[in-house]
């Protein structure tokens, strides 16, 4: 009996040092090499001897390939073990994601504070994997999902947060669960008290590197995990890598895993499931030929979901929309106050002209400065009108969240609304200052909290006290506005949330209003691969349109 024909060799490469193992594929016949490289896009077309990272998904693909093109190998049992793990986990994921799934009886939660079923679902998926990137839309309670993973998973847990959110995490744990928490103080290690959750900040984990690398915490939660998008090139990235390696369960939380280019998802996923996307050079070859832009964001997003390590729900999902109140959107025009802003100056006209006709370098610099000047000018010009609207709104609303961007605008609002004792939550205040502002707004006598458009990430607890957000200034990105509204539109909110967009006929508002709702990015394809096509508009186009309006309207601006 003749031996079955083989078309090359497959050999397992044991790990060296702290690195992972791999698979060596060699001696492939020419036509088989072409077929192999067509399946594994991450392989260079010129490679003769091919090395792939060792993951269960790679083992499944190698086994599948060898059904058509058998390779000489002695590691058949290893391949079968990988297939078994993938099959078992996939079956459990299907069970958890089935429409008929229910969490059953829950323990460890305080009375009337049990999580929603979809939040428990995310927690159990994370424990099953045992890792997950949770990209639920803003306001769906990712913090509660993470607490559910800690309640049901191995303890103690490390939660790593942005500096201003440490106390909020401890408060949520105390409010919803019986878990004991301890917020880490400083960068110098000390004897840790007994606790179920240790809350670190991204700014102090580096000092605790040696302690965390020893596996002190069995579950690791990275809140706003995009903080690690620069990877192990930073010290905090290296420490985070040690934490994940020593933990039994890891979980990343963010509605915005990508801030700029799609390649950031590689670094983020390294802290969720290392080697899921292969080694960096493999990922670049397969997904990012230019090293930055993902060539097919929809396909990458679908892959992350199918692999089971990325879960994202939106307000439109059936299991979610019955729990989250609807968003009412009001768009109103307020007057332009020429006395506050004055006439358009020569410098602004010069900047506008440079944006349209200057050299490449000159255009870039002028565009940034024109954007800043015109947005501040617009905010100041309508500031009194915005304040008057908020004052009117407070005649029937208990509190208002007022979103802006410029300090000059906050000053005008603060003086006009002084009787409502406004407080600030911006990039200027310390973590303690932000906490005092939240306490005054929710439990004190402040009825207005002025929040910076880009300073509300992770802020929770306002939904019990406020249901109106007024946008007195605008950002170019619709996601920024959605995130601010998400501070109010989240589990626990009992009233309909209203977002009031107050614009004026001059300055940058007409252009920005045209962009809002149209701008999209690489993030959309990856986090929402099946959501359809949205029109995209570049920053260059928006600034040029603003420059044209500056020159056309002149003093009218």
């Amino acid at each position: 009996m003749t031996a079955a024909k083989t078309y090359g060799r497959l050999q397992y490469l044991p790990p060296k040092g702290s690195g992972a193992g791999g698979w060596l594929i060699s001696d492939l016949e020419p036509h088989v090499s072409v077929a192999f490289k067509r399946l594994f896009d991450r392989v260079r077309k010129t490679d003769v001897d091919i090395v792939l990272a060792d993951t269960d998904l790679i083992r499944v693909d190698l086994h599948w390939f060898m059904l058509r093109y058998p390779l000489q190998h002695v590691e058949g049992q290893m391949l079968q073990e990988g297939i078994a793990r993938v099959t078992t986990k996939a079956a459990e994921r299907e069970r958890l994601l089935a429409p008929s799934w229910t969490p059953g009886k829950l323990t460890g939660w305080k009375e009337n504070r049990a999580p929603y079923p979809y939040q428990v679902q995310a927690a159990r998926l994370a424990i099953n994997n045992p890792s997950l990137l949770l990209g639920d839309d803003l306001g769906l309670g990712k913090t509660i999902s993470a607490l559910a993973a800690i309640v049901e998973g191995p303890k103690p847990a490390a939660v790593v947060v942005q500096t201003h959110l440490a106390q909020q995490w401890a408060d949520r744990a105390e409010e919803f669960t019986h878990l004991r928490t301890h917020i880490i103080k400083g960068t110098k290690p000390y004897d840790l008290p007994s606790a179920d959750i240790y809350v670190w900040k991204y700014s102090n984990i580096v000092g605790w590197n040696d302690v965390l690398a020893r596996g002190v915490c069995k579950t690791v939660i990275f809140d706003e995990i995009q903080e690690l998008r620069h990877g192990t090139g930073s010290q905090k990235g290296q420490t985070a890598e040690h934490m994940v390696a020593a933990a039994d369960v890891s979980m990343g939380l963010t509605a915005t895993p990508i801030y700029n280019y799609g390649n950031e998802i590689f670094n983020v996923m390294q802290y969720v499931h290392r080697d899921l996307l292969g080694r960096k050079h493999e990922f670049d070859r397969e997904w990012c030929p230019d090293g930055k832009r993902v060539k097919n964001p929809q396909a990458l997003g679908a892959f992350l979901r199918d692999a089971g390590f990325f879960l994202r729900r939106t307000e439109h999902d059936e299991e979610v929309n019955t729990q989250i109140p609807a968003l009412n959107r009001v768009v109103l025009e307020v007057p332009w106050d020429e006395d506050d802003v004055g006439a358009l100056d020569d410098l602004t006209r010069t900047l506008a002209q440079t944006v349209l006709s200057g050299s490449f370098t000159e255009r870039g610099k002028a565009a940034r400065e024109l954007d800043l000047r015109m947005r501040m000018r617009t905010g100041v010009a309508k500031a009194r009108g915005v304040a008057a609207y908020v004052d009117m709104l407070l005649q029937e609303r208990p509190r208002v969240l007022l979103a802006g961007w410029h300090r000059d605008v906050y000053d005008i609002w603060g003086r006009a609304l002084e009787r409502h004792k406004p407080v600030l939550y911006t990039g200027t205040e310390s973590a303690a200052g932000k906490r005092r502002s939240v306490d005054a707004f929710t439990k004190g006598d402040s009825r207005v909290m002025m929040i910076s458009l880009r300073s509300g990430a992770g802020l929770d607890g306002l939904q019990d006290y406020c249901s109106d957000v007024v946008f007195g200034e605008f950002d170019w990105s619709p996601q920024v506005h959605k995130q601010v509204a998400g501070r109010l539109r989240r589990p626990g909110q009992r009233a309909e949330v209203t977002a009031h967009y107050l614009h004026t006929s001059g300055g940058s508002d007409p252009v920005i209003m045209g962009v809002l709702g149209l701008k999209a990015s690489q993030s959309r394809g990856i986090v929402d691969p099946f959501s359809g096509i949205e029109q995209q508009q570049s920053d260059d186009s928006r600034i040029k349109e603003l420059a044209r309006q500056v020159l056309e309207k002149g003093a009218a601006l």
Side-chain angles (χ1 to χ4, degrees):
M1 182 175 180
T2 58
K5 179 176 174 56
T6 58
Y7 297 86
R9 294 172 55 84
L10 174 69
Q11 180 183 354
Y12 177 69
L13 302 176
K16 293 181 179 180
S18 59
W23 294 95
L24 172 64
I25 300 94
S26 59
D27 300 330
L28 291 177
E29 294 188 10
H31 70 289
V32 177
S33 178
V34 171
F36 189 91
K37 292 170 183 176
R38 190 180 299 125
L39 172 62
F40 294 93
D41 284 349
R42 63 188 62 182
V43 175
R44 282 193 298 258
K45 304 306 178 187
T46 57
D47 283 354
V48 177
D49 291 342
I50 300 166
V51 177
L52 296 176
D54 176 37
T55 69
D56 285 342
L57 292 175
I58 291 291
R59 294 185 184 192
V60 170
D61 285 343
L62 286 172
H63 178 268
W64 177 79
F65 182 81
M66 288 193 295
L67 293 176
R68 175 64 180 86
Y69 298 107
L71 304 176
Q72 289 183 18
H73 68 285
V74 296
E75 291 88 357
Q77 182 62 31
M78 291 183 65
L79 297 179
Q80 291 299 328
E81 289 170 356
I83 294 170
R85 284 192 292 268
V86 169
T87 302
T88 300
K89 290 179 180 179
E92 180 62 10
R93 281 197 303 273
E94 288 185 13
R95 187 187 71 81
L96 287 170
L97 294 174
S100 59
W101 179 84
T102 58
K105 184 178 181 180
L106 299 175
T107 59
W109 300 86
K110 290 188 176 177
E111 188 176 359
N112 298 323
R113 285 300 187 182
Y116 294 128
Y118 73 85
Q119 293 168 328
V120 180
Q121 184 183 56
R124 293 190 182 167
L125 280 172
I127 295 169
N128 174 64
N129 278 344
S131 55
L132 183 72
L133 175 60
L134 181 61
D136 281 354
D137 208 355
L138 299 164
L140 299 192
K142 291 183 288 295
T143 298
I144 306 304
S145 295
L147 287 173
I150 298 172
V151 167
E152 300 194 6
K155 290 178 274 295
V159 176
V160 187
V161 305
Q162 294 172 328
T163 300
H164 63 288
L165 297 178
Q167 187 59 53
Q168 177 177 288
W169 256 90
D171 290 347
R172 288 294 162 274
E174 181 180 351
E175 178 184 353
F176 282 85
T177 75
H178 298 288
L179 298 171
R180 300 163 300 156
T181 63
H182 173 73
I183 299 176
I184 302 299
K185 301 173 178 64
T187 59
K188 186 176 181 180
Y190 54 86
D191 291 336
L192 293 174
S194 179
D196 300 303
I197 302 176
Y198 297 103
V199 182
W200 269 272
K201 304 167 188 174
Y202 284 104
S203 58
N204 69 3
I205 59 173
V206 174
W208 290 78
N209 181 70
D210 292 342
V211 175
L212 292 168
R214 293 200 298 266
V216 170
C217 296
K218 303 304 180 184
T219 295
V220 176
I221 309 288
F222 295 110
D223 190 28
E224 302 296 343
I225 195 175
Q226 73 273 7
E227 289 282 330
L228 300 173
R229 65 188 182 277
H230 300 300
T232 55
S234 66
Q235 286 186 311
K236 69 179 179 183
Q238 294 170 13
T239 300
E241 184 179 41
H242 295 156
M243 294 174 70
V244 171
D248 296 329
V249 176
S250 61
M251 192 174 185
L253 314 177
T254 180
T256 53
I258 298 166
Y259 264 32
N260 298 297
Y261 294 108
N263 67 330
E264 292 175 352
I265 196 67
F266 176 82
N267 287 335
V268 169
M269 290 306 299
Q270 291 298 93
Y271 301 103
V272 177
H273 186 68
R274 187 174 181 81
D275 292 328
L276 175 67
L277 296 173
R279 299 183 177 93
K280 183 62 167 67
H281 67 276
E282 295 174 337
F283 171 79
D284 287 344
R285 267 188 230 114
E286 188 170 2
W287 299 106
C288 294
D290 69 354
K292 287 186 176 181
R293 296 171 179 82
V294 173
K295 64 183 178 182
N296 191 337
Q298 288 76 18
L300 178 54
F303 168 75
L304 294 174
R305 281 168 170 73
D306 289 346
F309 294 98
F310 181 38
L311 177 67
R312 173 174 166 81
R313 283 77 60 88
T314 74
E315 62 197 72
H316 304 297
D317 290 350
E318 185 176 350
E319 67 268 34
V320 174
N321 63 10
T322 57
Q323 308 292 340
I324 306 296
L327 178 67
N328 182 36
R329 190 166 178 260
V330 175
V331 181
L332 294 171
E333 183 175 342
V334 294
W336 175 280
D337 194 328
E338 194 70 38
D339 292 336
D340 277 342
V341 76
L344 190 69
D345 58 33
D346 291 339
L347 176 58
T348 304
R349 291 192 183 88
T350 300
L351 289 170
Q353 189 63 55
T354 304
V355 168
L356 296 176
S357 60
S359 67
F360 177 79
T361 303
E362 290 171 337
R363 289 200 307 270
K365 182 178 180 181
R368 289 188 294 272
E369 190 169 346
L370 177 65
D371 183 21
L372 292 172
R373 289 176 68 85
M374 290 305 298
R375 287 173 64 194
M376 183 173 73
R377 178 182 176 80
T378 304
V380 169
K382 64 176 180 177
R384 292 183 188 276
V386 169
Y389 181 85
V390 171
D391 188 57
M392 177 190 70
L393 199 60
L394 286 169
Q395 294 181 28
E396 59 178 25
R397 301 287 203 276
R399 295 173 182 83
V400 170
L401 188 63
L402 177 56
W405 185 249
H406 293 97
R407 184 64 53 176
D408 291 356
V409 176
Y410 298 147
D411 289 343
I412 296 174
W413 289 346
R415 290 192 297 269
L417 298 169
E418 184 177 5
R419 68 190 183 96
H420 300 297
K421 295 181 171 52
V423 292
L424 285 166
Y425 192 102
T426 73
T428 303
E429 291 76 43
S430 64
K434 286 183 171 70
R435 187 69 196 172
R436 287 193 294 272
S437 291
V438 171
D439 287 343
F441 183 63
T442 57
K443 303 169 186 175
D445 56 1
S446 173
R447 300 183 65 199
V448 177
M449 187 162 83
M450 298 182 288
I451 186 171
S452 173
L453 285 162
R454 291 179 177 251
S455 291
L459 175 61
D460 195 9
L462 305 185
Q463 64 268 27
D464 292 328
Y465 304 91
C466 179
S467 60
D468 289 272
V469 55
V470 172
F471 291 100
E473 289 191 272
F474 301 143
D475 192 279
W476 290 104
S477 171
Q479 286 300 114
V480 170
H481 298 84
K482 186 175 183 180
Q483 185 179 73
V484 175
R487 300 309 103 205
L488 304 181
R489 189 170 178 252
R490 56 199 306 111
Q493 176 64 260
R494 292 176 291 276
E496 179 183 67
V497 175
T498 301
H500 308 256
Y501 292 83
L502 304 187
H503 67 98
T504 186
S505 59
S508 59
D509 271 8
V511 182
I512 296 180
M513 290 295 287
V515 171
L516 291 178
L518 300 178
K519 182 180 178 183
S521 69
Q522 287 242 298
S523 176
R524 181 177 179 82
I526 294 174
V527 301
D528 290 311
F530 310 116
S531 60
I533 299 173
E534 280 194 342
Q535 181 179 349
Q536 297 192 38
Q537 185 165 341
S538 70
D539 288 353
D540 180 67
S541 298
R542 81 189 190 198
I543 294 297
K544 284 185 176 179
E545 179 61 27
L546 177 57
R548 290 189 188 98
Q549 291 211 16
V550 168
L551 294 175
E552 288 172 5
K553 295 189 177 182
L557 289 171

PDB file of all heavy atoms in Angstrom, residues 472-491:
ATOM      1  N   GLY A 472     -23.672  73.988  23.215  1.00  0.00           N
ATOM      2  CA  GLY A 472     -23.472  75.406  22.951  1.00  0.00           C
ATOM      3  C   GLY A 472     -22.316  75.667  22.009  1.00  0.00           C
ATOM      4  O   GLY A 472     -22.188  76.762  21.454  1.00  0.00           O
ATOM      5  N   GLU A 473     -21.439  74.681  21.856  1.00  0.00           N
ATOM      6  CA  GLU A 473     -20.389  74.693  20.842  1.00  0.00           C
ATOM      7  C   GLU A 473     -20.360  73.314  20.211  1.00  0.00           C
ATOM      8  O   GLU A 473     -20.828  72.337  20.806  1.00  0.00           O
ATOM      9  CB  GLU A 473     -19.024  75.029  21.448  1.00  0.00           C
ATOM     10  CG  GLU A 473     -18.871  76.465  21.903  1.00  0.00           C
ATOM     11  CD  GLU A 473     -17.420  76.788  22.245  1.00  0.00           C
ATOM     12  OE1 GLU A 473     -17.034  76.557  23.411  1.00  0.00           O
ATOM     13  OE2 GLU A 473     -16.687  77.255  21.353  1.00  0.00           O
ATOM     14  N   PHE A 474     -19.779  73.227  19.004  1.00  0.00           N
ATOM     15  CA  PHE A 474     -19.793  71.977  18.258  1.00  0.00           C
ATOM     16  C   PHE A 474     -18.386  71.456  17.994  1.00  0.00           C
ATOM     17  O   PHE A 474     -17.419  72.212  17.940  1.00  0.00           O
ATOM     18  CB  PHE A 474     -20.501  72.149  16.906  1.00  0.00           C
ATOM     19  CG  PHE A 474     -21.922  72.610  17.008  1.00  0.00           C
ATOM     20  CD1 PHE A 474     -22.445  73.501  16.079  1.00  0.00           C
ATOM     21  CD2 PHE A 474     -22.749  72.164  18.018  1.00  0.00           C
ATOM     22  CE1 PHE A 474     -23.759  73.930  16.164  1.00  0.00           C
ATOM     23  CE2 PHE A 474     -24.054  72.582  18.118  1.00  0.00           C
ATOM     24  CZ  PHE A 474     -24.568  73.474  17.184  1.00  0.00           C
ATOM     25  N   ASP A 475     -18.323  70.133  17.823  1.00  0.00           N
ATOM     26  CA  ASP A 475     -17.108  69.465  17.367  1.00  0.00           C
ATOM     27  C   ASP A 475     -17.369  68.995  15.937  1.00  0.00           C
ATOM     28  O   ASP A 475     -18.514  68.790  15.534  1.00  0.00           O
ATOM     29  CB  ASP A 475     -16.800  68.266  18.270  1.00  0.00           C
ATOM     30  CG  ASP A 475     -15.413  67.696  18.037  1.00  0.00           C
ATOM     31  OD1 ASP A 475     -15.237  66.930  17.073  1.00  0.00           O
ATOM     32  OD2 ASP A 475     -14.511  68.021  18.832  1.00  0.00           O
ATOM     33  N   TRP A 476     -16.289  68.791  15.173  1.00  0.00           N
ATOM     34  CA  TRP A 476     -16.451  68.300  13.808  1.00  0.00           C
ATOM     35  C   TRP A 476     -16.941  66.849  13.783  1.00  0.00           C
ATOM     36  O   TRP A 476     -17.531  66.409  12.795  1.00  0.00           O
ATOM     37  CB  TRP A 476     -15.116  68.371  13.054  1.00  0.00           C
ATOM     38  CG  TRP A 476     -14.652  69.756  12.728  1.00  0.00           C
ATOM     39  CD1 TRP A 476     -13.674  70.461  13.355  1.00  0.00           C
ATOM     40  CD2 TRP A 476     -15.135  70.610  11.678  1.00  0.00           C
ATOM     41  NE1 TRP A 476     -13.516  71.694  12.768  1.00  0.00           N
ATOM     42  CE2 TRP A 476     -14.407  71.813  11.738  1.00  0.00           C
ATOM     43  CE3 TRP A 476     -16.120  70.466  10.704  1.00  0.00           C
ATOM     44  CZ2 TRP A 476     -14.614  72.864  10.853  1.00  0.00           C
ATOM     45  CZ3 TRP A 476     -16.334  71.513   9.820  1.00  0.00           C
ATOM     46  CH2 TRP A 476     -15.592  72.692   9.894  1.00  0.00           C
ATOM     47  N   SER A 477     -16.710  66.105  14.833  1.00  0.00           N
ATOM     48  CA  SER A 477     -17.042  64.683  14.841  1.00  0.00           C
ATOM     49  C   SER A 477     -18.394  64.425  15.492  1.00  0.00           C
ATOM     50  O   SER A 477     -18.614  64.804  16.648  1.00  0.00           O
ATOM     51  CB  SER A 477     -15.968  63.887  15.596  1.00  0.00           C
ATOM     52  OG  SER A 477     -16.389  62.550  15.786  1.00  0.00           O
ATOM     53  N   PRO A 478     -19.317  63.751  14.795  1.00  0.00           N
ATOM     54  CA  PRO A 478     -20.604  63.422  15.408  1.00  0.00           C
ATOM     55  C   PRO A 478     -20.454  62.459  16.579  1.00  0.00           C
ATOM     56  O   PRO A 478     -21.286  62.446  17.491  1.00  0.00           O
ATOM     57  CB  PRO A 478     -21.396  62.782  14.261  1.00  0.00           C
ATOM     58  CG  PRO A 478     -20.365  62.306  13.298  1.00  0.00           C
ATOM     59  CD  PRO A 478     -19.222  63.274  13.394  1.00  0.00           C
ATOM     60  N   GLN A 479     -19.377  61.642  16.591  1.00  0.00           N
ATOM     61  CA  GLN A 479     -19.181  60.701  17.683  1.00  0.00           C
ATOM     62  C   GLN A 479     -18.947  61.432  19.008  1.00  0.00           C
ATOM     63  O   GLN A 479     -19.315  60.924  20.069  1.00  0.00           O
ATOM     64  CB  GLN A 479     -17.989  59.785  17.380  1.00  0.00           C
ATOM     65  CG  GLN A 479     -18.277  58.723  16.332  1.00  0.00           C
ATOM     66  CD  GLN A 479     -19.400  57.807  16.751  1.00  0.00           C
ATOM     67  OE1 GLN A 479     -20.471  57.806  16.133  1.00  0.00           O
ATOM     68  NE2 GLN A 479     -19.184  57.026  17.781  1.00  0.00           N
ATOM     69  N   VAL A 480     -18.330  62.608  18.947  1.00  0.00           N
ATOM     70  CA  VAL A 480     -18.078  63.374  20.164  1.00  0.00           C
ATOM     71  C   VAL A 480     -19.400  63.812  20.782  1.00  0.00           C
ATOM     72  O   VAL A 480     -19.611  63.709  22.001  1.00  0.00           O
ATOM     73  CB  VAL A 480     -17.175  64.585  19.856  1.00  0.00           C
ATOM     74  CG1 VAL A 480     -17.115  65.527  21.057  1.00  0.00           C
ATOM     75  CG2 VAL A 480     -15.772  64.123  19.473  1.00  0.00           C
ATOM     76  N   HIS A 481     -20.319  64.282  19.957  1.00  0.00           N
ATOM     77  CA  HIS A 481     -21.627  64.689  20.475  1.00  0.00           C
ATOM     78  C   HIS A 481     -22.391  63.483  21.029  1.00  0.00           C
ATOM     79  O   HIS A 481     -23.053  63.571  22.066  1.00  0.00           O
ATOM     80  CB  HIS A 481     -22.446  65.354  19.366  1.00  0.00           C
ATOM     81  CG  HIS A 481     -21.827  66.593  18.818  1.00  0.00           C
ATOM     82  ND1 HIS A 481     -20.866  66.561  17.842  1.00  0.00           N
ATOM     83  CD2 HIS A 481     -22.010  67.903  19.127  1.00  0.00           C
ATOM     84  CE1 HIS A 481     -20.495  67.798  17.561  1.00  0.00           C
ATOM     85  NE2 HIS A 481     -21.167  68.622  18.326  1.00  0.00           N
ATOM     86  N   LYS A 482     -22.271  62.369  20.327  1.00  0.00           N
ATOM     87  CA  LYS A 482     -22.961  61.155  20.776  1.00  0.00           C
ATOM     88  C   LYS A 482     -22.438  60.714  22.132  1.00  0.00           C
ATOM     89  O   LYS A 482     -23.194  60.265  22.988  1.00  0.00           O
ATOM     90  CB  LYS A 482     -22.769  60.056  19.732  1.00  0.00           C
ATOM     91  CG  LYS A 482     -23.570  58.800  20.022  1.00  0.00           C
ATOM     92  CD  LYS A 482     -23.425  57.790  18.891  1.00  0.00           C
ATOM     93  CE  LYS A 482     -24.283  56.564  19.145  1.00  0.00           C
ATOM     94  NZ  LYS A 482     -24.153  55.574  18.055  1.00  0.00           N
ATOM     95  N   GLN A 483     -21.108  60.856  22.320  1.00  0.00           N
ATOM     96  CA  GLN A 483     -20.528  60.450  23.597  1.00  0.00           C
ATOM     97  C   GLN A 483     -21.025  61.331  24.737  1.00  0.00           C
ATOM     98  O   GLN A 483     -21.329  60.839  25.832  1.00  0.00           O
ATOM     99  CB  GLN A 483     -19.001  60.512  23.533  1.00  0.00           C
ATOM    100  CG  GLN A 483     -18.336  59.990  24.798  1.00  0.00           C
ATOM    101  CD  GLN A 483     -16.834  60.032  24.714  1.00  0.00           C
ATOM    102  OE1 GLN A 483     -16.225  61.096  24.782  1.00  0.00           O
ATOM    103  NE2 GLN A 483     -16.207  58.875  24.585  1.00  0.00           N
ATOM    104  N   VAL A 484     -21.140  62.637  24.504  1.00  0.00           N
ATOM    105  CA  VAL A 484     -21.635  63.540  25.545  1.00  0.00           C
ATOM    106  C   VAL A 484     -23.089  63.202  25.875  1.00  0.00           C
ATOM    107  O   VAL A 484     -23.469  63.102  27.052  1.00  0.00           O
ATOM    108  CB  VAL A 484     -21.499  65.014  25.112  1.00  0.00           C
ATOM    109  CG1 VAL A 484     -22.131  65.934  26.159  1.00  0.00           C
ATOM    110  CG2 VAL A 484     -20.028  65.384  24.921  1.00  0.00           C
ATOM    111  N   ALA A 485     -23.918  63.023  24.845  1.00  0.00           N
ATOM    112  CA  ALA A 485     -25.322  62.654  25.096  1.00  0.00           C
ATOM    113  C   ALA A 485     -25.407  61.315  25.815  1.00  0.00           C
ATOM    114  O   ALA A 485     -26.319  61.079  26.618  1.00  0.00           O
ATOM    115  CB  ALA A 485     -26.093  62.600  23.776  1.00  0.00           C
ATOM    116  N   GLY A 486     -24.416  60.446  25.560  1.00  0.00           N
ATOM    117  CA  GLY A 486     -24.390  59.138  26.209  1.00  0.00           C
ATOM    118  C   GLY A 486     -24.137  59.196  27.701  1.00  0.00           C
ATOM    119  O   GLY A 486     -24.350  58.209  28.414  1.00  0.00           O
ATOM    120  N   ARG A 487     -23.677  60.345  28.206  1.00  0.00           N
ATOM    121  CA  ARG A 487     -23.528  60.498  29.662  1.00  0.00           C
ATOM    122  C   ARG A 487     -24.895  60.478  30.342  1.00  0.00           C
ATOM    123  O   ARG A 487     -24.997  60.168  31.532  1.00  0.00           O
ATOM    124  CB  ARG A 487     -22.815  61.821  30.002  1.00  0.00           C
ATOM    125  CG  ARG A 487     -21.410  61.996  29.440  1.00  0.00           C
ATOM    126  CD  ARG A 487     -20.536  60.821  29.753  1.00  0.00           C
ATOM    127  NE  ARG A 487     -20.355  59.957  28.614  1.00  0.00           N
ATOM    128  CZ  ARG A 487     -20.064  58.677  28.666  1.00  0.00           C
ATOM    129  NH1 ARG A 487     -19.980  58.063  29.829  1.00  0.00           N
ATOM    130  NH2 ARG A 487     -19.892  57.975  27.577  1.00  0.00           N
ATOM    131  N   LEU A 488     -25.938  60.844  29.590  1.00  0.00           N
ATOM    132  CA  LEU A 488     -27.292  60.890  30.151  1.00  0.00           C
ATOM    133  C   LEU A 488     -28.143  59.727  29.664  1.00  0.00           C
ATOM    134  O   LEU A 488     -28.975  59.204  30.408  1.00  0.00           O
ATOM    135  CB  LEU A 488     -27.978  62.206  29.758  1.00  0.00           C
ATOM    136  CG  LEU A 488     -27.251  63.502  30.137  1.00  0.00           C
ATOM    137  CD1 LEU A 488     -28.068  64.706  29.701  1.00  0.00           C
ATOM    138  CD2 LEU A 488     -26.972  63.563  31.637  1.00  0.00           C
ATOM    139  N   ARG A 489     -27.924  59.328  28.418  1.00  0.00           N
ATOM    140  CA  ARG A 489     -28.754  58.275  27.815  1.00  0.00           C
ATOM    141  C   ARG A 489     -28.098  56.919  28.051  1.00  0.00           C
ATOM    142  O   ARG A 489     -27.362  56.406  27.228  1.00  0.00           O
ATOM    143  CB  ARG A 489     -28.899  58.554  26.323  1.00  0.00           C
ATOM    144  CG  ARG A 489     -29.905  57.662  25.636  1.00  0.00           C
ATOM    145  CD  ARG A 489     -30.172  58.163  24.229  1.00  0.00           C
ATOM    146  NE  ARG A 489     -31.110  57.271  23.577  1.00  0.00           N
ATOM    147  CZ  ARG A 489     -30.784  56.419  22.602  1.00  0.00           C
ATOM    148  NH1 ARG A 489     -29.535  56.358  22.185  1.00  0.00           N
ATOM    149  NH2 ARG A 489     -31.692  55.647  22.051  1.00  0.00           N
ATOM    150  N   ARG A 490     -28.365  56.363  29.198  1.00  0.00           N
ATOM    151  CA  ARG A 490     -27.722  55.126  29.602  1.00  0.00           C
ATOM    152  C   ARG A 490     -28.606  54.402  30.614  1.00  0.00           C
ATOM    153  O   ARG A 490     -29.586  54.979  31.116  1.00  0.00           O
ATOM    154  CB  ARG A 490     -26.334  55.408  30.191  1.00  0.00           C
ATOM    155  CG  ARG A 490     -26.324  56.375  31.336  1.00  0.00           C
ATOM    156  CD  ARG A 490     -24.952  56.983  31.597  1.00  0.00           C
ATOM    157  NE  ARG A 490     -23.900  55.996  31.779  1.00  0.00           N
ATOM    158  CZ  ARG A 490     -22.914  55.798  30.894  1.00  0.00           C
ATOM    159  NH1 ARG A 490     -22.866  56.496  29.784  1.00  0.00           N
ATOM    160  NH2 ARG A 490     -21.962  54.903  31.120  1.00  0.00           N
ATOM    161  N   PRO A 491     -28.321  53.145  30.924  1.00  0.00           N
ATOM    162  CA  PRO A 491     -29.152  52.410  31.871  1.00  0.00           C
ATOM    163  C   PRO A 491     -29.338  53.164  33.187  1.00  0.00           C
ATOM    164  O   PRO A 491     -28.380  53.702  33.745  1.00  0.00           O
ATOM    165  CB  PRO A 491     -28.359  51.116  32.082  1.00  0.00           C
ATOM    166  CG  PRO A 491     -27.627  50.919  30.798  1.00  0.00           C
ATOM    167  CD  PRO A 491     -27.249  52.309  30.368  1.00  0.00           C
TER     168      PRO A 491
END
